[in-house]
């Protein structure tokens, strides 16, 4: 086995000669390769005595280190006649106890070991507290609808307050003709359409003005057919006031005397405001509730009493308006005398509209109070609505 010095570590050598040695002939190894440092596969033949010397040289290198390199060089020169003085590499050789292979620039690869994964204890989440039940509001029973008796007897209109003046003035046209009569109806409608809305709205109802129609002869309506031989009327089905032209024009023209014509004008005023009172009853629910009570009445006497309560209240509503505007209309002198006479002496329809005495009683209550609160005929005793 040939000696292979460690890579990169060689013994010291003298300087290279000025001229390199001549190249060897073809087929010969260069002189430096005769010592086993070349790529050949076989060693040259050993010389006599060379083995022992070589062993001593090796031991000297190992013991003496760098200092023995010079002695080894001299021994080789002295005992080896074939030494040619060929220069060696300039790298110095020093023995080492480290591995003979040069350390790699890269750190030794260490096979990573798979980390030991220890099972983590399961995370125990605290139990989720169920949400507290929301307090439910106590179930409120729907308020029952007011009965028909509640509507007529405890209507909010009775708490609406007093009516103020709308400065209503009498029309300058006289009801001697159809045009004159219709001018008076239109004028009164405008006044009443301004006088009642505030009270109706305070009663919790929506105000709508009525329609006004005048007729002569026979007129057809949703409430039936009517003849001009009868009084004016109001139909709640289409919320229309029907004024009798034949009656109003005839009353005014039948006697040219002043008192008669003043009476005819007061009658027209009162009758128009009375039928408008039925419209107020319709808007506030009183008219329909009264009709239901009359329909359910146990006998005709009770039914007729219900009719009188409704009609006497309408007259009371009429005189609320007349009183609220008595200064502007005006109601003085002959007008006042004729108004008092007609409410106390000329109206007597005992079976369905009430006696003259009771009609005067409710008319004066409306006139003196100017408030619907005074017109609650549905809680009055039977004697006051006979």
């Amino acid at each position: 086995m040939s000696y292979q010095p460690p890579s990169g570590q060689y013994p010291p050598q003298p300087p290279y000669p000025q001229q390199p040695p001549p190249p060897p002939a073809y087929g010969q190894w260069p002189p430096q390769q005769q010592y086993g440092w070349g790529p050949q596969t076989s060693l040259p033949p050993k010389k006599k005595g060379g083995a022992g010397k070589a062993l001593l040289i090796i031991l000297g290198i190992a013991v003496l280190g760098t200092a023995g390199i010079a002695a080894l060089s001299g021994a080789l020169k002295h005992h080896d006649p074939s030494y040619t003085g060929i220069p060696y590499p300039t790298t110095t050789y020093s023995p080492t106890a480290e591995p003979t292979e040069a350390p790699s620039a890269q750190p030794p690869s260490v096979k990573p070991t798979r980390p030991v994964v220890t099972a983590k204890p399961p995370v125990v989440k605290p139990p989720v507290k169920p949400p507290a039940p929301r307090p439910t509001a106590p179930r409120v029973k729907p308020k029952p609808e007011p009965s028909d008796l509640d509507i007529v007897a405890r209507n909010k209109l009775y708490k609406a307050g007093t009516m103020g003046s709308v400065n209503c003035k009498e029309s300058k046209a006289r009801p001697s003709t159809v045009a004159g009569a219709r001018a008076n109806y239109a004028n009164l409608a405008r006044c009443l359409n301004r006088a009642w809305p505030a009270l109706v709205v305070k009663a919790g109802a929506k105000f709508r003005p009525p329609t006004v129609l005048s007729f002569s002869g026979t007129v057809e309506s949703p409430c039936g057919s009517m003849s001009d031989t009868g009084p004016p009327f109001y139909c709640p089905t289409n919320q229309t006031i029907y004024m009798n032209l034949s009656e109003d024009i005839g009353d005014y023209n039948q006697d040219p005397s002043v008192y008669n014509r003043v009476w005819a004008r007061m009658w027209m005023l009162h009758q128009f405001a009375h039928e408008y009172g039925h419209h107020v009853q319709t808007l506030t629910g009183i008219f329909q509730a009264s009709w239901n009570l009359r329909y359910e009445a146990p006998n005709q006497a009770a039914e007729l009493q219900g009719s009188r309560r409704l009609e006497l209240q309408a007259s009371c509503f009429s005189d609320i308006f007349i009183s609220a505007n008595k200064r502007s209309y005006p109601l003085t002198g002959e007008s006042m005398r004729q108004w008092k006479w007609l409410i106390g002496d000329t109206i007597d329809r005992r079976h369905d509209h009430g006696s003259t005495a009771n009609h005067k009683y409710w008319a004066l209550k409306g006139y003196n109070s100017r408030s619907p609160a005074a017109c609650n005929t549905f809680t009055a005793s039977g004697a006051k609505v006979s």
Side-chain angles (χ1 to χ4, degrees):
M1 180 176 181
S2 61
Y3 168 74
Q4 297 288 337
S7 174
Q9 297 179 1
Y10 299 95
Q13 58 191 1
Y16 286 96
Q18 296 298 325
Q19 296 295 329
Y26 181 78
Q28 292 182 350
W29 294 106
Q32 70 272 20
Q33 291 181 348
Q34 294 177 3
Y35 292 95
W37 294 357
Q40 75 274 10
T41 57
S42 61
L43 295 174
K46 298 180 181 179
K47 294 183 180 182
K48 293 181 179 180
K53 295 179 181 179
L55 180 59
L56 293 175
I57 293 173
I58 294 172
L59 294 175
I61 292 174
V63 175
L64 299 178
T66 304
I69 293 176
L72 177 60
S73 177
L76 289 175
K77 289 180 182 181
H78 179 73
H79 295 286
D80 191 357
S82 62
Y83 178 78
T84 58
I86 297 174
Y88 291 88
T90 59
T91 306
T92 59
Y93 171 79
S94 60
T96 176
E98 294 180 2
T100 58
E101 294 182 0
S104 174
Q106 298 292 332
S109 61
V110 179
K111 186 176 181 181
T113 59
R114 187 173 183 179
V116 178
V117 179
T118 59
K120 294 183 178 180
V123 178
V124 180
K125 295 182 179 180
V128 179
K129 187 178 181 180
R134 293 182 179 179
T136 56
R139 188 173 182 179
V140 179
K141 292 183 179 180
K143 190 175 182 180
E145 293 291 330
S147 66
D148 292 325
L149 184 59
D150 288 333
I151 293 174
V152 299
R154 286 175 284 276
N155 200 281
K156 293 180 179 179
L157 181 63
Y158 304 145
K159 298 180 180 180
T162 59
M163 179 182 289
S165 174
V166 292
N167 197 31
C168 182
K169 296 179 180 179
E170 185 180 8
S171 173
K172 293 180 180 181
R174 294 293 179 253
S176 58
T177 63
V178 171
R182 286 177 174 169
N184 275 271
Y185 302 150
N187 178 65
L188 288 171
R190 286 191 296 269
C191 290
L192 286 156
N193 287 341
R194 291 185 290 120
W196 276 107
L199 299 180
V200 170
V201 171
K202 286 181 179 179
K206 183 178 180 180
F207 178 81
R208 296 180 300 275
T211 302
V212 179
L213 294 177
S214 57
F215 69 96
S216 293
T218 301
V219 64
E220 298 293 332
S221 77
C223 297
S225 61
M226 294 294 292
S227 171
D228 60 7
T229 58
F233 67 98
Y234 172 80
C235 180
T237 305
N238 61 351
Q239 299 183 11
T240 300
I241 295 173
Y242 293 85
M243 293 303 295
N244 189 339
L245 282 171
S246 299
E247 182 182 58
D248 291 334
I249 295 173
D251 288 343
Y252 187 82
N253 292 330
Q254 72 177 353
D255 188 345
S257 60
V258 174
Y259 76 89
N260 181 73
R261 292 191 170 180
V262 172
W263 176 86
R265 287 162 37 212
M266 292 298 102
W267 175 262
M268 180 185 295
L269 166 66
H270 189 276
Q271 288 295 90
F272 192 96
H274 171 96
E275 301 307 331
Y276 201 103
H278 284 317
H279 181 64
V280 173
Q281 290 172 327
T282 299
L283 296 178
T284 56
I286 294 174
F287 198 106
Q288 182 64 42
S290 173
W291 190 93
N292 293 341
L293 292 172
R294 288 164 58 192
Y295 180 80
E296 297 171 356
N299 49 54
Q300 187 179 19
E303 181 183 352
L304 288 174
Q305 187 185 78
S307 175
R308 292 193 296 270
R309 292 183 187 276
L310 187 72
E311 295 296 338
L312 290 171
Q313 186 180 69
S315 289
C316 187
F317 287 168
S318 170
D319 290 292
I320 289 175
F321 168 75
I322 292 173
S323 176
N325 296 275
K326 62 184 178 182
R327 296 185 182 277
S328 59
Y329 201 77
L331 198 62
T332 58
E334 190 65 29
S335 298
M336 175 62 76
R337 284 192 294 270
Q338 295 303 322
W339 174 79
K340 287 182 178 180
W341 187 81
L342 72 88
I343 65 170
D345 293 327
T346 60
I347 299 175
D348 189 2
R349 295 173 61 184
R350 193 180 301 265
H351 64 290
D352 60 353
H353 278 63
S355 66
T356 301
N358 283 332
H359 187 274
K360 182 178 181 178
Y361 170 80
W362 290 106
L364 288 174
K365 286 196 71 171
Y367 183 88
N368 293 330
S369 67
R370 294 185 292 117
S371 171
C375 302
N376 190 355
T377 58
F378 292 93
T379 58
S381 65
K384 293 298 182 183
V385 292
S386 59

